[in-house]
Amino acid sequence: MSGGRSLRSICAALALGAAVAGVPAAHAQDVEATAQPRAEADTAKAVLLVTMGQGDAIWERFGHNFLAVPDSTGRMVAYNWGVFDFAAPDFLSRFLLGDTKYWMEGNDLEQVLGYYRRFNRTITVQRLALTPAQVDSLRAFLTWNDRPENRYYRYDYFRDNCSTRLRDALDRAMGGELRRQTEARITNATYRSESVRLTDEDPASQLGIATALGQPGDVPLSAWEAMFVPMRLQEYLRDIRIAGATGDTIPLVAEERVVFQAQRAPERAHAPSFLAELGLPGLLAAGIIVLLARAAARGRRKAGVALAALGGFWGGVAGTIGLVLLLAWVATRHVHWYRNENLFQFNPLALTLLVLLPVAWRNPRWRPAARTVAVGVAVLSCIGAALKFMPWMTQDNWALIALALPINVALAWAAMTALRVPAVQPGRARRRDEPAPADRRR
């Protein structure tokens, strides 16, 4: 695009998971996608809302949109607020701390459409029935916003992204009418459900989002808030009615058409629950831990080694997740990661089990400490599950409880059982690597 930069006008989500391959579209569709918006612009000088469907990369799963407005020469300029630069030297640190810098940019409409056609993204154009005064107001604001000193802003996944900036620009031109008609309309969607729904076909991203979002991610959204998703903005604008030239109310969307249809699976309608997908592995892992603990209690050394390794691995994974969640809460500006109930299930304290369990299996002096930590982690996990029945525990995390709770409880039981077994069985000579009899009395 302009200035030699590649067009990266895409809405970023949590950067987790892998891309999904798409299918190239036909050349005949390319011609239609280019010709139709230009023809409408030349004849009607219309304001167009252009919405792109899902793409392959994780940030493209949330769709994208922009406003196309004629400039003083009649050329249609596509204004979008989703431009960022992966190569910026401070991009990663800003991203991790919740201080990502995005900017708004205007580009030629046909070049932008060509970009999204090449990446197999469905393109829908809505012609908006704004009055001439509203069009002038919108054009003036967009021109002002596109100046270098005005274009940059701190990006927020949900509250201040490419789609909400577009929504706000429209609402400003309409004198607040868009907000008045959508703010009181409560939907069934939440930030979590929308994010998990849109990252379908990428389980790693879905699991990461479900784990990272805290209580703020589960507040029911108004239609106004739900328009952080470009496809939702496109949907809700169909219901907006405004005053026409004769005083009658008319639809805001005067015309809508799909000018390019991507060859890919349709957008998922509802978010999956993952209760069975995570609960069954949790029960299976807990069962394995119990079997290993019983075998270790009967003096089977290999079972004890396997138990220490498996328990240490889980402690390392759960503790690391908990540490990340805690740091996200206290040290970043990712407000929707705050007050995360998953800290009951993935406690940073569990990270010590990565070392304690293997060491305690070989050295009985460390067994009391390992048992104490394992039991403490299990108790906190049980408290977190019990508190779910309280009205203030609003986070949708039952699937993660179903995964972590059985493992945490089984590991505590295993520590209380296997780590109390005498290291030397009566009547059998002690090997060089086994603890002395005095250690057994502990």
Side-chain angles (χ1 to χ4, degrees):
M1 301 303 291
S2 61
R5 288 189 300 269
S6 297
L7 177 65
R8 293 197 182 103
S9 48
I10 43 186
C11 299
L14 295 177
L16 303 166
V20 180
V23 181
H27 175 70
Q29 292 174 305
D30 288 5
V31 174
E32 180 186 1
T34 301
Q36 185 62 43
R38 173 57 65 91
E40 290 180 345
D42 287 342
T43 57
K45 304 297 184 186
V47 171
L48 308 177
L49 171 60
V50 185
T51 304
M52 276 64 63
Q54 293 180 302
D56 295 333
I58 177 60
W59 55 84
E60 296 174 337
R61 301 299 296 169
F62 289 76
H64 187 47
N65 54 16
F66 58 81
L67 286 171
V69 180
D71 64 11
S72 58
T73 67
R75 180 180 71 103
M76 292 297 286
V77 180
Y79 293 97
N80 94 96
W81 286 263
V83 187
F84 65 95
D85 187 4
F86 275 127
D90 58 351
F91 180 85
L92 181 59
S93 61
R94 282 178 169 272
F95 175 83
L96 293 174
L97 295 174
D99 193 26
T100 311
K101 182 184 293 185
Y102 273 56
W103 66 90
M104 183 262 216
E105 188 173 275
N107 295 285
D108 181 78
L109 174 61
E110 293 199 38
Q111 292 182 27
V112 177
L113 292 175
Y115 173 87
Y116 287 102
R117 288 194 305 272
R118 290 195 301 274
F119 284 89
N120 192 33
R121 307 275 296 274
T122 294
I123 303 174
T124 304
V125 174
Q126 293 172 307
R127 182 166 59 84
L128 305 182
L130 300 178
T131 66
Q134 290 171 334
V135 173
D136 290 341
S137 174
L138 180 61
R139 182 190 296 110
F141 174 75
L142 295 175
T143 302
W144 172 87
N145 201 174
D146 195 26
R147 294 173 184 168
E149 66 272 20
N150 301 327
R151 61 177 50 167
Y152 294 96
Y153 69 101
R154 188 181 75 84
Y155 182 89
D156 182 277
Y157 303 124
F158 304 127
R159 302 180 305 173
D160 197 359
N161 69 4
C162 53
S163 188
T164 64
R165 286 260 162 169
L166 186 155
R167 174 203 66 189
D168 293 347
L170 272 181
D171 186 57
R172 183 181 183 278
M174 296 168 60
E177 187 61 30
L178 178 56
R179 184 165 193 161
R180 279 192 291 271
Q181 294 190 37
T182 57
E183 193 169 34
R185 177 181 172 185
I186 304 302
T187 72
N188 294 323
T190 65
Y191 289 128
R192 185 189 310 277
S193 67
E194 289 291 82
S195 300
V196 172
R197 175 181 71 87
L198 291 169
T199 49
D200 190 38
E201 300 183 9
D202 193 347
S205 294
Q206 290 178 313
L207 182 59
I209 290 169
T211 305
L213 290 179
Q215 286 185 350
D218 291 297
V219 178
L221 301 178
S222 67
W224 171 261
E225 294 167 322
M227 286 189 277
F228 84 94
V229 176
M231 291 81 81
R232 292 297 193 193
L233 175 58
Q234 171 193 327
E235 173 187 350
Y236 292 138
L237 283 192
R238 297 169 186 150
D239 300 328
I240 303 300
R241 300 187 68 83
I242 59 175
T246 62
D248 296 333
T249 59
I250 60 173
L252 173 62
V253 178
E255 183 181 3
E256 176 177 330
R257 69 179 59 180
V258 177
V259 297
F260 179 77
Q261 181 62 56
Q263 303 301 309
R264 62 172 71 243
E267 178 185 321
R268 188 184 181 105
H270 304 286
S273 71
F274 294 115
L275 189 60
E277 290 86 344
L278 295 181
L280 290 178
L283 291 173
L284 178 61
I288 293 173
I289 289 172
V290 169
L291 292 176
L292 289 174
R294 295 184 66 178
R298 292 194 294 268
R300 296 183 181 178
R301 183 173 179 276
K302 290 184 178 179
V305 173
L307 174 64
L310 180 58
F313 172 77
W314 170 255
V317 171
T320 299
I321 292 173
L323 184 61
V324 170
L325 296 181
L326 182 61
L327 290 175
W329 184 352
V330 302
T332 78
R333 301 174 72 177
H334 293 291
V335 296
H336 293 88
W337 291 25
Y338 295 177
R339 305 193 305 278
N340 199 317
E341 296 175 22
N342 287 325
L343 280 167
F344 283 105
Q345 310 304 323
F346 303 95
N347 196 297
L349 182 63
L351 190 58
T352 61
L353 294 176
L354 177 63
V355 176
L356 272 179
L357 286 177
V359 170
W361 177 252
R362 296 182 61 86
N363 189 340
R365 287 178 297 180
W366 289 94
R367 292 181 178 182
R371 290 197 300 266
T372 300
V373 172
V375 171
V377 169
V379 168
L380 288 172
S381 187
C382 291
I383 291 174
L387 287 176
K388 289 300 296 179
F389 298 97
M390 298 299 172
W392 60 82
M393 300 290 279
T394 57
Q395 186 168 327
D396 181 9
N397 68 332
W398 276 113
L400 288 161
I401 292 175
L403 170 67
L405 180 61
I407 300 176
N408 289 334
V409 172
L411 198 56
W413 180 85
M416 295 295 294
T417 303
L419 294 185
R420 287 189 177 183
V421 173
V424 179
Q425 298 298 322
R428 182 172 62 84
R430 179 171 62 89
R431 294 194 304 269
R432 294 177 62 185
D433 61 344
E434 291 178 330
D439 292 329
R440 295 202 306 272
R441 290 194 295 273
R442 294 190 178 91

